[in-house]
Amino acid sequence: MILITGAAGFIGGNFVHHWFERLDSQGLSTDEPVVVYDKLTYAGNPNTIAAHLQSGRATLIQADITDRDAVREALHTHRPRAILHFAAESHVDRSIHGPGEFIHTNMVGTFSLLEEARTYWGALPEAEKAAFRFLHVSTDEVYGSLGDDDAAFSETTAYAPNSPYSASKAGSDHLVRAYHHTYGFPTLTTNCSNNYGPYHFPEKLIPLVILNALEGKPLPVYGDGLNIRDWLYVRDHCEAICQVLVKGTLGEVYNVGGINEIRNIDVVTTICRKLDELRPRESGRYEDLITYVKDRPGHDRRYAIDPTKIQRDIGWAPSETFESGINKTVRWYLDNTAWIDTVRSGAYRDWLTQNYAGRA
Ligand code: NAD
Ligand code: TYD
């Protein structure tokens, strides 16, 4: 049994699918059950993992990671051999509008989880104690922003977070590090680049552009559109986590990147061309909808991951190119309108108004 926080969200949800679908090095799949511990905020959607909840292989506990009683009860009831910690407030623009929730969930929440997990782990029988793992999922944004000629982020790059989101994730990373160093708590940390793929909440660039395009709405590009992200297909990230869980050295950090540095404007035009091919507009091309809007405050210019360590020590490398990954992603959004309808609530529309009304 493993316990996964935030697995009703984008990456955690994909992780649950990947967990049951992947084949290991002996060609075997697993039926080891998972407990999903998730508050179900606006970003959490049980429909993402409905098939596994219905089959009984996944169990959902709807609770907050800052609620220590609830965390303790979940650990003692389900007795996991590992905790995978995905739960977080994850959207930079939301952190600019309201940083408090980010500090509370990402820092206080990670602290609460670490405290309860440390107590639980400390009381395990020796063999189970030795096998226990706490894997913390973090972001490359903790390293700050790169210039065009700077070397990509490695595990030894100094932390320099620039947004309330990345600062709160940096704080959580430091707590995880300290719990290993001070208490010997068996941690692993992964810092990954921008993920994309199925079940991505349409507040982030790629799903927002796909859905706006299909509705003939403007495709908002912040600033000059030349910011660079290192795009990682979500299933490649999930596989990296599976492998780090098994092969990672305790206390270590592994950077996970897609080796896909792309400018935002090129991401948007690639999506437009894919839609031109798969779902042509009645008149004109999707690129006609591109609209440059006011920039994000403090917008990081470039992120790029140097994946040498995870390739060398773990043997992981991404399998998707941006071309193959975006192809799968666009097709998924065209084929999964029922899922899309469930996430576009009134609260989602309110967010679009809040974020984009002042950017014209
Ligand atoms: P997401 O916003 O899609 O999902 C977050 C999930 O956490 C949701 O299901 C939500 O309900 C849950 N959650 C939020 N607050 C909670 C709380 N207090 N208690 C319990 N559950 C709570 O996020 P994501 O994109 O899936 O990101 C997962 C993790 O990966 C995060 O830690 C994020 O910082 C990290 N990450 C994401 C990306 C990316 O490109 N999406 C890149 C690097 C790192
Ligand atoms: P996003 O998906 O929010 O991820 P992150 O901020 O964590 O990198 O944004 C990806 C890039 O796209 C980032 O440089 C901001 C930019 N962006 C836009 O240009 N327009 C948008 O509407 C959004 C949401 C993002």
Side-chain angles (χ1 to χ4, degrees):
M1 159 74 66
I2 57 170
L3 186 141
I4 315 178
T5 71
F10 164 48
I11 306 176
N14 274 283
F15 184 87
V16 173
H17 288 285
H18 193 71
W19 180 252
F20 292 119
E21 287 165 18
R22 81 187 277 265
L23 301 178
D24 67 14
S25 53
Q26 275 106 44
L28 301 171
S29 60
T30 184
D31 57 4
E32 184 181 11
V34 301
V35 170
V36 173
Y37 186 103
D38 196 302
K39 184 180 174 181
L40 301 184
T41 67
Y42 79 92
N45 182 358
N47 287 324
T48 298
I49 50 169
H52 302 295
L53 293 173
Q54 278 153 19
S55 76
R57 295 196 293 186
T59 304
L60 175 65
I61 298 173
Q62 182 177 0
D64 193 321
I65 53 169
T66 64
D67 179 347
R68 287 183 56 172
D69 293 339
V71 171
R72 192 179 314 126
E73 190 182 328
L75 293 176
H76 287 280
T77 305
H78 296 284
R79 306 198 63 76
R81 69 166 175 95
I83 297 174
L84 307 188
H85 178 32
F86 292 89
E89 288 292 336
S90 70
H91 188 33
V92 173
D93 291 319
R94 285 187 193 254
S95 83
I96 294 168
H97 286 274
E101 203 59 46
F102 286 71
I103 304 306
H104 189 61
T105 286
N106 299 357
M107 293 180 64
V108 178
T110 301
F111 165 71
S112 305
L113 201 58
L114 283 167
E115 273 295 90
E116 291 303 327
R118 178 170 75 89
T119 306
Y120 164 76
W121 165 76
L124 287 174
E126 276 316 309
E128 288 174 42
K129 193 174 175 188
F132 187 80
R133 298 287 180 272
F134 182 97
L135 191 151
H136 174 59
V137 178
S138 191
T139 168
D140 59 358
E141 303 193 22
V142 298
Y143 300 120
S145 182
L146 294 169
D148 285 345
D149 299 326
D150 291 339
F153 302 131
S154 78
E155 291 77 2
T156 54
T157 302
Y159 272 37
N162 289 320
S163 72
Y165 163 67
S166 54
S168 66
K169 290 297 290 187
S172 70
D173 293 6
H174 291 323
L175 284 168
V176 171
R177 177 191 156 86
Y179 271 62
H180 175 72
H181 189 81
T182 305
Y183 305 112
F185 188 58
T187 63
L188 297 159
T189 297
T190 54
N191 291 77
C192 69
S193 55
N194 286 62
N195 284 221
Y196 68 104
Y199 304 108
H200 204 180
F201 192 76
E203 63 186 354
K204 306 277 171 70
L205 179 69
I206 288 180
L208 181 95
V209 164
I210 297 171
L211 297 189
N212 276 18
L214 290 172
E215 293 187 346
K217 292 182 180 164
L219 310 181
V221 174
Y222 295 169
D224 61 8
L226 301 182
N227 303 67
I228 292 172
R229 299 292 183 263
D230 181 357
W231 292 96
L232 171 66
Y233 190 66
V234 64
R235 285 293 195 111
D236 277 335
H237 180 204
C238 294
E239 179 57 24
I241 290 173
C242 287
Q243 293 192 26
V244 169
L245 184 64
V246 175
K247 299 184 223 166
T249 301
L250 295 184
E252 291 285 311
V253 174
Y254 297 91
N255 282 358
V256 190
I259 322 179
N260 267 318
E261 279 190 63
I262 309 179
R263 303 181 309 179
N264 289 345
I265 188 62
D266 297 330
V267 169
V268 175
T269 52
T270 302
I271 294 168
C272 289
R273 286 172 197 165
K274 189 54 67 186
L275 286 171
D276 285 334
E277 184 191 313
L278 297 173
R279 184 73 60 85
R281 297 184 74 195
E282 282 178 12
S283 66
R285 292 160 58 80
Y286 285 102
E287 282 176 50
D288 302 338
L289 299 170
I290 292 174
T291 308
Y292 286 90
V293 299
K294 194 169 160 200
D295 209 352
R296 170 187 284 173
H299 195 175
D300 284 340
R301 193 64 172 170
R302 174 178 164 236
Y303 302 140
I305 289 258
D306 172 357
T308 305
K309 180 175 175 183
I310 192 168
Q311 287 183 345
R312 185 193 58 219
D313 295 357
I314 304 290
W316 172 89
S319 64
E320 301 286 352
T321 62
F322 189 67
E323 180 62 27
S324 65
I326 203 71
N327 198 4
K328 288 183 182 176
T329 305
V330 170
R331 284 177 190 276
W332 188 88
Y333 279 90
L334 290 175
D335 292 344
N336 286 276
T337 46
W339 183 89
I340 293 161
D341 290 343
T342 62
V343 299
R344 292 204 292 183
S345 62
Y348 171 67
R349 288 193 293 276
D350 291 346
W351 162 251
L352 294 185
T353 306
Q354 190 185 2
N355 192 41
Y356 293 97
R359 289 187 191 271

